Amino acid sequence: MSSKRKRIAVALLLLSVLSAGCAIKKTSEIATTAEIQNVNGEKPGFSADASPSSLSSSSLSSNDKAFLQAFKASVTQAQTIARELQAILTEMQHNDEFIEAQESINTARQEMLYLWNTMHNDFHPDNADLQKQKNEYESILMVYREGLTLQLEGMKNAEPAKVMEGIKRAQQAEQKVELLVKKLNQ
């Protein structure tokens, strides 16, 4: 088999693996808080008493209120980016668009970095619980980006194990975003 044919075969295999990972994520139930682990092995700190939605708006400073509004919008946007990427990858698998899949993954990485930069640089809540939420959310965004980076590296270097690890990390981060959205909407 020629080198070009091998690369095409590996590319199609990796695109199938990526799409399968997205399909598994779509069909599986969202994990409970106890099932989701942070990178360092700790459970996320979205406790009911520290949840942004449970804080009394009268007890928040104007700075905290501005943060909370931007935080909710950012979390919703992160959820949208992840869902759109899954839909795009699923569609591309049917059309064997390997290069376009890589570009879409890279675009999602850049969009998540923008969300992280905005939260990290533009908002500094006064409330300690909100600061903790901000830090945890920033961590989730970075784990998602790391997952996408691993997927890209695996695709470029024809390493299916790296692609699968990237899918796993990205899915864990997506589940955490889903949980956070639920907390914010309570």
Side-chain angles (χ1 to χ4, degrees), residues 29-162:
E29 298 260 339
I30 293 181
T32 65
T33 304
E35 294 171 328
I36 298 176
Q37 299 288 314
N38 281 335
V39 175
N40 60 6
E42 296 176 2
K43 294 178 186 171
F46 304 122
S47 61
D49 56 338
S51 173
S53 62
S54 67
L55 293 170
S56 169
S57 62
S58 63
S59 68
L60 297 177
S61 68
S62 60
N63 183 40
D64 288 343
K65 289 177 184 176
F67 164 75
L68 194 52
Q69 184 177 6
F71 182 70
K72 289 178 180 179
S74 181
V75 170
T76 302
Q77 189 173 1
Q79 180 187 43
T80 301
I81 291 167
R83 286 180 177 176
E84 286 177 356
L85 178 61
Q86 287 179 353
I88 289 169
L89 291 176
T90 300
E91 179 64 30
M92 287 181 177
Q93 184 231 1
H94 298 298
N95 298 324
D96 295 329
E97 298 174 14
F98 185 70
I99 301 299
E100 292 82 359
Q102 289 178 327
E103 291 170 359
S104 295
I105 291 170
N106 195 44
T107 299
R109 281 181 63 248
Q110 292 171 354
E111 290 173 348
M112 290 296 185
L113 180 59
Y114 175 78
L115 292 178
W116 184 90
N117 280 330
T118 301
M119 278 289 111
H120 186 76
N121 296 327
D122 296 348
F123 297 97
H124 307 283
D126 301 321
N127 182 290
D129 289 334
L130 291 179
Q131 183 62 45
K132 182 178 178 184
Q133 295 286 323
K134 174 189 168 195
N135 293 341
E136 290 173 359
Y137 175 59
E138 289 174 355
S139 175
I140 292 168
L141 292 176
M142 285 295 99
V143 170
Y144 187 78
R145 284 194 80 242
E146 290 168 5
L148 295 180
T149 299
L150 282 173
Q151 289 178 49
L152 282 174
E153 290 173 1
M155 292 168 76
K156 289 177 183 175
N157 300 322
E159 298 178 57
K162 201 175 244 188

Side-chain angles (χ1 to χ4, degrees), residues 10-37:
V10 168
L12 291 174
L13 172 69
L14 290 174
L15 190 55
S16 296
V17 167
L18 276 173
S19 180
C22 290
I24 291 168
K25 163 68 172 87
K26 285 181 180 178
T27 59
S28 67
E29 298 260 339
I30 293 181
T32 65
T33 304
E35 294 171 328
I36 298 176
Q37 299 288 314

